[in-house]
Amino acid sequence: MAEESVPVKENTAVAPEIHEAAKKLLTRRFKFIRKPDDSLKRLARLGVERVAADMAAHPQRYREPEPEAPLPEVSPLDPLDILRKDHQLPALPQVFLELQQAIGSRSTSADDLAEIISRDPGLTAFLLRMVNSAFYSLPMQIDTISRAVTVVGVNQLSTLAVGTSVMSLFKDVPADVIDMEQFWKHSICCGLIARRLCRMSGKGDPERAFVSGLLHDIGQLILLQVEPERATAVHAHARAKDAVLFAEEKTLLGFDHATLGGMLLRKWNFPYVLVSAVLEHHHPKPGHKEAEPLLVHCAETLATGLGVGSSGEFFVQPPSPEAWASMNFTPEQMDEMVEDLDEELEEAFSILLDR
């Protein structure tokens, strides 16, 4: 990991001791990657450079929390019990429900969809900002939702609208439980990388890949919102044991956040491909007809390896050999994958996090 160096922009130059600290952190973060191929080794080196720059700019993010002694006890839980607590789950906005119904109807036209979206000024402004951003890089300015639907497509825009509407539902998670800005930065990064993988591989749909990545860790938010004590206790156990978070969730709770997230999206009548992408983002099933679960699985490895934001999971998950091989990664493609990513991330953060 330390043999080669990746060019760093002048504004990200850091002191040697910080760079060395970043190397140590990344070595630990990749501990479960037993036999990395050349592309994973390149990812680790890219991660060192990015984390070193962030460590220099934001040292407080890298202070290890004091270990809890003794560790709190955690009793198992049935995920269905969480989903039955409707009064504690976030309430879906009316525009979301109307969009879901419209998308499921064969008689819905582009004008119908545009009319529903236009009733929500916040969603309208957000979608117009997104369509006019580098996310699409369209050659013309789009100034109405009707035009956006025509240019981008009914299914694509509705997927984006429904998926991003979910972000506004989780404003009550306490800041001392999780840093929501860092959580969404990780999720947005995962979505953008899944979208890039979609285009690079020619598999899947770009908007579905983005929304799948954006929502892949939604199960964590539900667990933190409905069972904050249990959730924070599991995090404490994972940190103390140097264990992968989703594995510790299964051990202590009997299920992991991917299972809970998939069940929640199914309860909310999300399209099957989004449900399966969230449900399987740690363990994609072989032989999938849809590509999004594989794209999100690989994007999760990339986003965590690069150290963009934080979902609460410290370690880079070992990717499924079949899923990873299906992407045909090379070190050069890894460089291409992160080229101009910072610019795209910054613009996406400003649009999605300022809603």
Side-chain angles (χ1 to χ4, degrees), residues 34-47:
R34 304 298 185 191
K35 295 181 180 179
D37 61 14
D38 289 341
S39 61
L40 282 166
K41 290 176 183 176
R42 182 63 63 88
L43 173 64
R45 285 189 278 269
L46 290 165

Side-chain angles (χ1 to χ4, degrees), residues 92 96-97 100-101 103-104 162 262-272 274-275:
L92 294 172
F96 180 103
L97 299 172
Q100 287 281 57
Q101 188 175 7
I103 292 165
V162 167
M263 291 172 69
L264 177 73
L265 294 193
R266 189 180 300 155
K267 178 183 174 74
W268 283 349
N269 295 316
F270 266 69
Y272 168 76
L274 299 184
V275 173

Side-chain angles (χ1 to χ4, degrees), residues 67-334:
E68 294 190 38
L71 287 171
E73 290 188 14
V74 182
S75 56
L77 185 65
D78 186 340
L80 286 173
D81 288 342
I82 294 177
L83 298 182
R84 291 187 189 107
K85 296 179 180 178
D86 286 332
H87 63 288
Q88 292 186 40
L89 295 177
L92 294 172
Q94 185 61 30
V95 67
F96 180 103
L97 299 172
E98 290 179 16
L99 277 173
Q100 287 281 57
Q101 188 175 7
I103 292 165
S105 172
R106 292 182 180 180
S107 61
T108 300
S109 67
D111 287 340
D112 293 334
L113 193 70
E115 197 273 328
I116 292 170
I117 293 173
S118 297
R119 289 182 213 153
D120 187 321
L123 182 59
T124 298
F126 158 73
L127 287 174
L128 289 177
R129 284 181 69 195
M130 183 67 86
V131 169
N132 286 303
S133 73
F135 192 82
Y136 284 102
S137 299
L138 297 174
M140 78 290 284
Q141 187 78 8
I142 306 296
D143 56 3
T144 66
I145 288 295
S146 297
R147 180 67 175 150
V149 169
T150 302
V151 173
V152 176
V154 173
N155 291 333
Q156 288 80 0
L157 200 71
S158 58
T159 297
L160 204 58
V162 167
T164 54
S165 292
V166 174
M167 290 186 69
S168 62
L169 304 181
F170 294 93
K171 295 182 176 176
D172 297 329
V173 179
D176 59 339
V177 171
I178 191 170
D179 185 326
M180 288 301 293
E181 182 175 312
Q182 290 302 304
F183 177 91
W184 284 121
K185 282 187 174 182
H186 167 80
S187 299
I188 292 166
C189 181
C190 189
L192 290 176
I193 291 176
R195 191 170 184 262
R196 287 187 172 208
L197 287 176
C198 172
R199 290 181 166 172
M200 186 185 80
S201 66
K203 301 172 183 177
D205 173 83
E207 278 68 34
R208 288 193 317 202
F210 173 74
V211 170
S212 297
L214 184 69
L215 301 182
H216 74 286
D217 276 334
I218 192 173
Q220 281 205 52
L221 293 185
I222 291 296
L223 196 57
L224 285 162
Q225 187 157 309
V226 178
E227 292 283 344
E229 291 185 6
R230 264 197 182 97
T232 52
V234 172
H235 281 244
H237 276 261
R239 285 195 305 269
K241 299 173 186 176
D242 249 10
V244 176
L245 179 60
F246 68 83
E248 197 65 12
E249 288 171 342
K250 276 198 167 182
T251 299
L252 297 174
L253 299 174
F255 64 93
D256 63 14
H257 64 269
T259 299
L260 182 60
M263 291 172 69
L264 177 73
L265 294 193
R266 189 180 300 155
K267 178 183 174 74
W268 283 349
N269 295 316
F270 266 69
Y272 168 76
V273 64
L274 299 184
V275 173
S276 61
V278 171
L279 185 67
E280 300 172 30
H281 74 268
H282 290 305
H283 299 292
K285 294 177 182 175
H288 248 300
K289 293 181 181 178
E290 306 287 356
E292 282 74 12
L294 304 182
L295 297 174
V296 174
H297 174 73
C298 294
E300 165 80 356
T301 294
L302 290 164
T304 307
L306 292 172
V308 180
S310 174
S311 65
E313 174 62 84
F314 177 81
F315 296 106
V316 177
Q317 67 173 2
S320 154
E322 294 79 12
W324 196 255
S326 73
M327 295 295 123
N328 296 312
F329 282 126
T330 65
E332 292 71 30
Q333 283 177 319
M334 199 60 63

